[in-house]
Each structure stands twice: as structure tokens, then as C-alpha cells.
Amino acid sequence: MTMSVSSNPRAPYVLSSDHPKLRAPQGKPIIVHVVVNIEYWPYDQLTPRTIVVPPHGRSHVPDLPNFCWSEYGNRAGMPRLLDLFGDRGVSVSASINASVIDVYPRLAEAVLEAGWEFVGHGVHQRAMGAESDEGSLIRAALDKLESFTGKRPRGWMSPGWSETFDTLDHLSGEGIEYVCQWVIDDIPTMLSTKGREIVAMPYGLDINDSVVYAIEKHASPEMSLRIRETLKRFERETALGQPRVLTIPLHPHLSGVPHRINYLEEVIDTLLNRSDTIFMAGSEILDWYRTAVTEPMA
């Protein structure tokens, strides 16, 4: 007798080709989800990521060049992203550290004025496992965003894709309905928790400016190339009757810089000009999925 073993405790394994066919929103099978990650990197702490290797390999505080990398994005990169998506009326999800509201109040106000969906992203840009009281931190982050926006966030993206074994249970208990850190499929997937289920929203590992530029250190056109190649494959797969979510995760200090923003602009315009694409924020995708999964195509 073969014993059944699960690959993980949250989502039963399913071949993507075995999913029931879902009705595409408005008949457009390629769902584009733009996520802009807005973060606060404290000046008096080591930065979560570096563009410049510390001299002699020794990290120090203040880490001025790496702090400025992020600070430039919040000062100069964000206006470019706000203009790009605002001029085109594109729905955007803002994965935002709650501390941004206090540290960069004008930035938070601009995002709110733009109508972007606020998604929980911790308080500071620090891994969930580094927190002594994870549940309280999650609650504090969501309370802060709710107080500022007037709406309780429905989505969550853990800083650095991090989780503990209890993160999803805490999130479910605080009313979170979808998360972005479980990157396991090209359509939403249900995750079990000690409370109600949470939806794993497709996200981007390979198509993510942090991976492409900060980790793999590719040239500026690389992300555009990956998105275009992904579209070629999605065209073939959606022709078989199953929608796909194309998530484009961005950071203002990476995609908002002058030598990359033009490539991003071209990609967004290409996507907007297609007849088979629709831009949706996280909660819009969630609501579509909940309806589509209960009324799959025959």
C-alpha cells in the first residue's frame, strides 16, 4: 500500500492542467496584476538588500549608498510609476509597509489619491521570522493601513516572501483573504489555515524586478523580454480555455529609475493594446476567482 504524502500543509498538489476551466473575466483570459512594493528601509539599520558591496566586505551603519538606493526610489521613482499607471488608468496593488504612512506621508497620500489597492506588507521591511510577536505585528500593520485608508486590507504580501509556520493562521484570523507570497500556480489557489481558507494569488519570482535586477543583475531590457516571452506561452495556454494571471511585481528603486522606466512603459502599453488582456488589482482578481471557481465552464 502506498502512503499518501503531501508536499506542503497548505495546498494539495494539483497539476495546473487538471484545474477545472474558469470563465475569463469579461472574456479576457490574460489577467494582468501590477504590484508595486513600497517599503521603508531605516537609515539606522542594515539594509535588507544591497546594490553596493560594503567596503572590505564589512557591513556598517549607516549604510549610505544602499539606503540611498531605496530612498531615491521613494522620492524620484514613485512619481514616475504614479504617472505611468495614472495616465493609463491602470489598476494597481500597493504592497506597502505600514511605517510608510508615518515616514513618507506624502507618498502614502499620493498612493491613496491614485486609487491603488493597499496590501499589507508588514510594518517594516523585515522577515516575518524575525518578529518576536508575529500576530501582534500583523494586526498592527493592518490596523495602521485601515486607519489611513478607511478599509481593512484584504490582501497581504510578506516582506521578502517570508513566513513562519503560523503566518497564514494569523493572517486568516485578522481577516486577510489572499496572499501573494505563495507562488505556486498561474491561477489562484486555495490555502488551508486554522480558520477560513486564504487564496494564494499568483505572483512573480522570475518576472520580478527585485529578482531580475537586484539579485540576477540583468541589463535593463531583461524584464521586458521575460514578460514578452511569457505572453507567447500564455497565448497558447489560454487558447485551451484556462485564464492566466500575469503578475508584474515592481519596486520604485528598481523599475522607477530612468534607464528602466521606458521599457516598463512600453510593456504596459503593449499589454493595454491587446484584446485578450485585462488589468485587475488583487481584490478584483479575488472576487473574479471566487465567482469563477463556483461556476466553472462545462
Side-chain angles (χ1 to χ4, degrees), residues 91-148:
S91 295
V92 176
S93 296
S95 169
I96 186 167
N97 292 159
S99 56
V100 166
I101 294 170
D102 295 324
V103 180
Y104 303 108
R106 181 65 190 101
L107 170 53
E109 290 168 3
V111 173
L112 185 64
E113 291 166 2
W116 293 9
E117 177 181 345
F118 279 63
V119 174
H121 194 41
V123 175
H124 304 292
Q125 191 59 18
R126 187 166 55 215
M128 301 303 293
E131 306 299 335
S132 59
D133 187 346
E134 182 183 26
S136 294
L137 176 131
I138 289 171
R139 186 176 308 113
L142 296 175
D143 286 349
K144 184 75 173 179
L145 296 183
E146 181 179 17
S147 177
F148 180 71

Side-chain angles (χ1 to χ4, degrees), residues 253-281:
H253 62 285
L254 294 169
S255 290
V257 296
H259 60 94
R260 296 191 184 118
I261 191 73
N262 296 327
Y263 290 104
L264 176 61
E265 186 176 84
E266 290 172 3
V267 164
I268 296 302
D269 285 340
T270 295
L271 290 166
L272 284 168
N273 289 329
R274 294 176 62 103
S275 62
D276 58 354
T277 57
I278 181 170
F279 282 77
M280 302 174 78

Side-chain angles (χ1 to χ4, degrees), residues 60-103:
H60 60 278
V61 175
D63 183 353
L64 190 59
N66 293 308
F67 165 79
C68 289
W69 188 30
S70 171
E71 185 80 354
Y72 175 89
N74 287 339
R75 290 172 180 254
M78 275 303 303
R80 295 184 183 118
L81 294 175
L82 285 162
D83 286 346
L84 190 162
F85 297 117
D87 290 347
R88 292 159 176 78
V90 170
S91 295
V92 176
S93 296
S95 169
I96 186 167
N97 292 159
S99 56
V100 166
I101 294 170
D102 295 324
V103 180

Side-chain angles (χ1 to χ4, degrees), residues 23-260:
R23 295 185 184 278
Q26 300 180 31
K28 299 177 182 293
I30 298 180
I31 303 165
V32 184
H33 185 198
V34 176
V35 182
V36 177
N37 295 275
I38 307 170
E39 301 163 354
Y40 166 46
W41 295 10
Y43 174 73
D44 60 352
Q45 299 176 25
L46 292 174
T47 57
R49 184 164 283 129
T50 62
I51 188 174
V52 176
V53 177
H56 311 293
R58 299 180 63 181
S59 299
H60 60 278
V61 175
D63 183 353
L64 190 59
N66 293 308
F67 165 79
C68 289
W69 188 30
S70 171
E71 185 80 354
Y72 175 89
N74 287 339
R75 290 172 180 254
M78 275 303 303
R80 295 184 183 118
L81 294 175
L82 285 162
D83 286 346
L84 190 162
F85 297 117
D87 290 347
R88 292 159 176 78
V90 170
S91 295
V92 176
S93 296
S95 169
I96 186 167
N97 292 159
S99 56
V100 166
I101 294 170
D102 295 324
V103 180
Y104 303 108
R106 181 65 190 101
L107 170 53
E109 290 168 3
V111 173
L112 185 64
E113 291 166 2
W116 293 9
E117 177 181 345
F118 279 63
V119 174
H121 194 41
V123 175
H124 304 292
Q125 191 59 18
R126 187 166 55 215
M128 301 303 293
E131 306 299 335
S132 59
D133 187 346
E134 182 183 26
S136 294
L137 176 131
I138 289 171
R139 186 176 308 113
L142 296 175
D143 286 349
K144 184 75 173 179
L145 296 183
E146 181 179 17
S147 177
F148 180 71
T149 66
K151 297 179 181 179
R152 190 76 169 175
R154 300 175 69 187
W156 178 272
M157 173 64 195
S158 288
W161 294 293
S162 61
E163 271 198 10
T164 71
F165 291 114
D166 301 315
T167 301
L168 291 183
D169 299 321
H170 290 307
L171 292 171
S172 176
E174 293 298 329
I176 287 296
E177 300 175 65
Y178 73 87
V179 295
C180 296
Q181 63 264 17
W182 276 72
V183 193
I184 57 176
D185 210 323
D186 296 311
I187 60 173
T189 304
M190 301 305 299
L191 302 173
S192 63
T193 77
K194 291 181 180 178
R196 65 179 181 179
E197 289 184 311
I198 287 179
V199 173
M201 196 66 64
Y203 197 69
L205 285 169
D206 296 315
I207 299 179
N208 185 309
D209 63 2
S210 184
V211 172
V212 174
Y213 299 129
I215 297 174
E216 297 177 346
K217 300 188 183 301
H218 286 286
S220 298
E222 176 67 21
M223 194 165 164
S224 173
L225 172 63
R226 294 189 185 192
I227 292 173
R228 293 176 190 278
E229 290 301 312
T230 299
L231 280 171
K232 291 178 184 178
R233 177 56 53 171
F234 278 5
E235 285 175 3
R236 294 170 60 179
E237 294 177 347
T238 56
L240 300 176
Q242 187 71 294
R244 291 286 185 263
V245 178
L246 171 60
T247 304
I248 305 177
L250 306 171
H251 297 74
H253 62 285
L254 294 169
S255 290
V257 296
H259 60 94
R260 296 191 184 118

